[in-house]
Amino acid sequence: MDALLAVASKRDVRAYSGEPIPPEAEAWILDAGRLSGSARNRQPCRFVVAEGDARAAVAGAVYGAGNVLGAALVVTITATPGGGLVDFDVGRVAQSMMLAGWAQGIASCPNGIADPEGLRRALGIVDPE
């Protein structure tokens, strides 16, 4: 798919087909995030694929639980603290991953965090002290 067409045609989808995502497509999506640029080349983002029991726990910590529970692939993007530039980098990473999926016919939707502490627990992330 042409890059401009991917940007112009991408739509958020909250109900999915139930079809599994091929492993090579999953790797493509994760690589799109990994290869995204970042301010000052900090690369502050890490990706956690929520599977098994973690998926239900993640669903309980976001605004739209249904689209997490129904998705074939759930990727959480974590970032080192840093404010504005890091927040911008997270957005770049998410958009790159969603466009990479869309280019392969894979629908997606971002989801906001309603319970940050619950999400940390779900992912086993310990707050630095």
Side-chain angles (χ1 to χ4, degrees), residues 6-25:
V7 170
S9 66
K10 164 73 174 87
R11 299 294 179 264
D12 292 340
V13 175
R14 290 171 183 83
Y16 307 108
S17 70
E19 295 292 317
I21 295 177
E24 58 276 3

Side-chain angles (χ1 to χ4, degrees), residues 33 38 42-47 77-80 86 89-91 93:
S38 68
R42 289 183 52 203
Q43 301 297 317
C45 299
R46 300 293 176 264
F47 314 111
I77 303 169
T78 65
T80 55
V86 170
D89 290 342
V90 170
V93 164

Side-chain angles (χ1 to χ4, degrees), residues 32-98:
R34 182 181 64 83
L35 296 170
S36 293
S38 68
R40 299 186 190 114
N41 200 29
R42 289 183 52 203
Q43 301 297 317
C45 299
R46 300 293 176 264
F47 314 111
V48 179
V49 176
E51 299 176 311
D53 293 340
R55 182 180 290 240
V58 167
V62 298
Y63 290 112
N67 71 338
V68 168
L69 296 172
L73 174 65
V74 175
V75 180
T76 61
I77 303 169
T78 65
T80 55
L85 293 176
V86 170
D87 294 345
F88 184 77
D89 290 342
V90 170
R92 291 175 70 184
V93 164
Q95 188 72 3
S96 292
M97 294 171 81
M98 290 185 293

